[in-house]
Amino acid sequence: MHKKNIFAISGSLRWGSSNHAILQALSKMCPTDINYSIYNGLSEIPAFDPGLDDDNPPPAILSLRKQLADADGIILCTPEYAYGVPGALKNALDWMVSSASFSGKPTSLITASTGGENAHKALIKILGAIDANLLKNATLLVSFIRSKMDADGNIIDAETAQKLQSVFNALLRSL
Ligand SMILES: Cc1cc2nc3c(=O)[nH]c(=O)nc-3n(C[C@H](O)[C@H](O)[C@H](O)COP(=O)(O)O)c2cc1C
């Protein structure tokens, strides 16, 4: 039988990123009969060019679209930079508008940042624009993320750990 796929994207490219650590923590909650993968191509995505946004876009875009097409559920987990969505993530999402790659897909949004309210709000709008099925119970803002994690990326705040489990369960139920 076809194994369901969860495809996770971190909006931070930073080595030791707390958002990446959250995605790793979620992978440990994943049942063995579900594939869970974390996207590793965000830094390879070229700057969005509507003139190249056709059926034969740059290879990195084709690859991301394919991985999204194969996904039964999507997780975006991202910090906020300069009161907005990190440029690399926004750029990748711009490439996904015309392909409708998110259309109808159960999607979880986790914004983990120092504050994060602005990026979180903006992403809710963006995901609406690209017709993602953003799951209310799988939408979470975690402020002061660095204080809720130890140096090894373990979540040390019990309430945050519980909320992340609940977000992940909501995504699993939607698959
Ligand atoms: C250039 C820069 C700008 C930032 N701007 C914001 C901001 O506007 N709002 C916010 O909540 N955090 C901001 N931060 C802090 C990040 O939220 C914090 O570094 C976070 O841990 C980054 O996520 P990561 O650990 O996954 O890399 C900024 C960080 C950097 C490096």
Side-chain angles (χ1 to χ4, degrees):
M1 207 185 86
H2 159 72
K3 258 191 166 187
K4 301 267 177 153
N5 292 313
I6 293 178
F7 182 59
I9 302 175
S10 166
S12 173
L13 300 174
R14 187 173 72 86
W15 191 89
S17 152
S18 29
N19 281 273
H20 192 79
I22 288 175
L23 292 179
Q24 295 284 6
L26 297 182
S27 78
K28 293 184 187 130
M29 300 173 191
C30 193
T32 51
D33 60 344
I34 290 178
N35 289 322
Y36 180 100
S37 58
I38 301 176
Y39 180 51
N40 65 4
L42 192 63
S43 62
E44 312 298 323
I45 298 282
F48 178 60
D49 178 346
L52 299 178
D53 186 13
D54 52 26
D55 290 343
N56 193 22
I61 307 306
L62 268 183
S63 167
L64 176 56
R65 287 179 181 169
K66 166 89 172 64
Q67 290 175 81
L68 287 165
D70 290 345
D72 299 288
I74 299 166
I75 305 174
L76 295 185
C77 187
T78 184
E80 172 177 296
Y81 293 146
Y83 301 109
V85 179
L89 177 61
K90 176 65 167 67
N91 180 51
L93 293 175
D94 287 344
W95 281 106
M96 299 304 124
V97 175
S98 70
S99 60
S101 300
F102 278 75
S103 194
K105 298 260 175 179
T107 300
S108 165
L109 170 65
I110 301 164
T111 308
S113 201
T114 304
E117 296 87 353
N118 303 288
H120 197 61
K121 263 194 207 156
L123 277 162
I124 289 172
K125 274 199 169 175
I126 293 164
L127 289 169
I130 59 180
D131 195 30
N133 174 15
L134 179 60
L135 305 169
K136 218 174 168 209
N137 296 340
T139 301
L140 177 68
L141 171 64
V142 185
S143 296
F144 308 111
I145 180 59
R146 300 262 192 124
S147 68
K148 294 171 177 168
M149 221 167 236
D150 68 15
D152 297 324
N154 302 302
I155 293 142
I156 51 171
D157 178 64
E159 191 186 343
T160 302
Q162 184 270 320
K163 282 181 179 168
L164 287 169
Q165 179 73 65
S166 156
V167 157
F168 197 65
N169 289 345
L171 182 65
L172 289 175
R173 282 196 301 274
S174 75
L175 299 180

